[in-house]
């Protein structure tokens, strides 16, 4: 073995052999460190790639979630626009209560955004985010979650404000029990009353303005989610199925 050979060479004062033995030992140690380093780097790259793939999949889910939510906001907005137009023109021909009621019952809604984020939280907890992809990717991810935080902050503010001043309450509408309707409640609009009730029109305008602002904040979050998904697809050499990537 090498240690016994080294001692034998020292005893015989064969310094050339001693130096050679030291070189062999040193090279062996350096090779062991290098092999361990290569193995560690491969593991880290594999973990980073897996994290990128999870983030990409999660970003696609987030885009689908945000689009569904925006569609629901837009349904209420369109209903409200038609009801406001009817009020302005005093035109009630072919009036369908349930279609118009959607614009009324959605006035006070400001739900928080809750897209999936378990993969992102895992990356942050592991401390790998600083080394994830490039600066452009990290900026895209940060901007998206900043948009979600801003959206939730504004939604919370609107909720608190609405509790103090429930501007959507009106004597011109009535909620009745209806087992076949969502939440088993049907909202009935008294057309004769709303035509002569300026407070109802004011309530609808104020609520519509708030809902348009909420819709815009959700749309901004969607834009940032799409940008994040595209950046993740570029870095991971994958594909974001929810956006067109070059």
């Amino acid at each position: 073995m090498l240690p016994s050979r080294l001692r034998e060479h020292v005893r015989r004062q064969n310094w050339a052999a001693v130096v050679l033995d030291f070189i062999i030992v040193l090279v062996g140690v350096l090779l062991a460190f290098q092999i361990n380093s290569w193995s560690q780097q491969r593991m880290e790259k594999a973990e980073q790639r897996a994290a990128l793939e999870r983030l990409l999949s999660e970003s696609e889910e987030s885009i689908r979630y945000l689009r569904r939510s925006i569609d629901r906001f837009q349904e209420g907005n369109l209903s409200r626009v038609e009801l406001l137009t009817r009020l302005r023109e005093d035109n009630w021909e072919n009036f369908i209560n349930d279609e118009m009621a959607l614009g009324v019952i959605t006035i006070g809604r400001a739900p928080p955004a809750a897209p999936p984020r378990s993969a992102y939280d895992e990356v942050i907890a592991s401390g790998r985010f600083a080394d994830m992809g490039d600066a452009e990717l990290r900026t895209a991810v940060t901007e998206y979650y900043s948009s979600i935080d801003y959206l939730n902050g504004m939604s919370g503010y609107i909720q608190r404000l609405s509790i103090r001043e429930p501007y959507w309450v009106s004597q011109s509408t009535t909620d009745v029990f209806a087992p076949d309707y969502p939440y088993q409640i049907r909202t009935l609009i008294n057309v004769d009353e709303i035509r002569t009730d300026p407070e109802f029109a004011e309530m609808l305008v104020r609520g519509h303005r708030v809902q348009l602002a909420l819709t815009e904040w959700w749309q901004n979050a969607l834009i940032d989610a799409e940008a994040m998904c595209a950046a993740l697809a570029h870095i991971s050499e994958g594909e974001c199925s929810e956006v067109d990537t070059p």
Side-chain angles (χ1 to χ4, degrees):
M1 296 178 65
L2 190 57
S4 60
R5 285 176 50 194
L6 181 61
R7 287 195 298 270
E8 180 64 19
H9 291 155
V10 171
R11 186 179 65 81
R12 294 183 178 184
Q13 297 185 353
N14 187 348
W15 305 120
V18 170
V19 171
L20 180 60
D21 289 340
F22 269 119
I23 291 174
I24 292 173
V25 172
L26 181 61
V27 170
V29 171
L30 291 176
L31 281 175
F33 275 119
Q34 188 62 46
I35 291 172
N36 183 66
S37 177
W38 287 338
S39 177
Q40 186 66 28
Q41 288 176 4
R42 285 197 299 270
M43 288 178 58
E44 289 177 355
K45 287 182 179 179
E47 290 175 356
Q48 186 180 78
R49 183 167 187 81
L52 284 170
E53 291 174 353
R54 290 195 297 273
L55 281 171
L56 177 57
S57 177
E58 188 169 88
S59 68
E60 292 172 333
E61 293 179 28
S62 297
I63 290 171
R64 291 190 288 270
Y65 166 83
L66 291 168
R67 285 175 178 168
R68 289 194 301 269
S69 300
I70 291 170
D71 286 345
R72 288 193 290 270
F73 273 100
Q74 294 289 30
E75 288 177 4
N77 294 341
L78 290 174
S79 173
R80 222 171 293 112
V81 166
E82 182 175 349
L83 185 53
L84 284 167
T85 302
R86 287 180 178 276
L87 280 169
R88 183 183 62 188
E89 299 176 357
D90 197 22
N91 178 10
W92 305 100
E93 184 179 356
N94 299 322
F95 175 81
I96 300 176
N97 178 88
D98 292 345
E99 292 182 2
M100 298 299 97
L102 179 63
V104 177
I105 64 178
T106 55
I107 286 180
R109 293 181 181 176
R117 56 177 296 157
S118 59
Y120 170 75
D121 290 338
E122 181 182 339
V123 168
I124 294 299
S126 68
R128 289 196 297 264
F129 182 71
D131 299 321
M132 185 71 66
D134 56 16
E136 183 177 350
L137 170 64
R138 293 191 294 273
T139 297
V141 173
T142 300
E143 287 181 350
Y144 164 68
Y145 283 100
S146 294
S147 291
I148 293 296
D149 289 341
Y150 178 80
L151 169 59
N152 284 334
M154 295 306 296
S155 296
Y157 170 74
I158 291 172
Q159 288 174 350
R160 293 190 297 272
L161 188 63
S162 298
I163 291 173
R164 291 202 306 268
E165 301 177 16
Y167 55 82
W168 68 89
V169 175
S170 172
Q171 300 299 321
S172 301
T173 61
T174 306
D175 290 337
V176 297
F177 175 66
D180 296 333
Y181 279 71
Y183 307 107
Q184 297 186 332
I185 294 176
R186 184 187 184 196
T187 298
L188 299 176
I189 300 174
N190 188 321
V191 174
D192 292 334
E193 288 189 9
I194 66 174
R195 293 174 64 187
T196 58
D197 184 2
E199 292 185 357
F200 179 84
E202 181 183 356
M203 172 205 73
L204 206 59
V205 169
R206 291 176 60 192
H208 188 56
R209 179 176 59 190
V210 171
Q211 291 300 306
L212 288 178
L214 279 166
T215 304
E216 182 179 353
W217 296 328
W218 279 82
Q219 289 171 332
N220 290 340
L222 173 60
I223 291 171
D224 288 337
E226 292 172 340
M228 176 180 68
C229 194
L232 284 164
H234 174 71
I235 288 294
S236 63
E237 299 181 347
E239 179 181 354
C240 177
S241 62
E242 298 301 320
V243 297
D244 295 328
T245 54

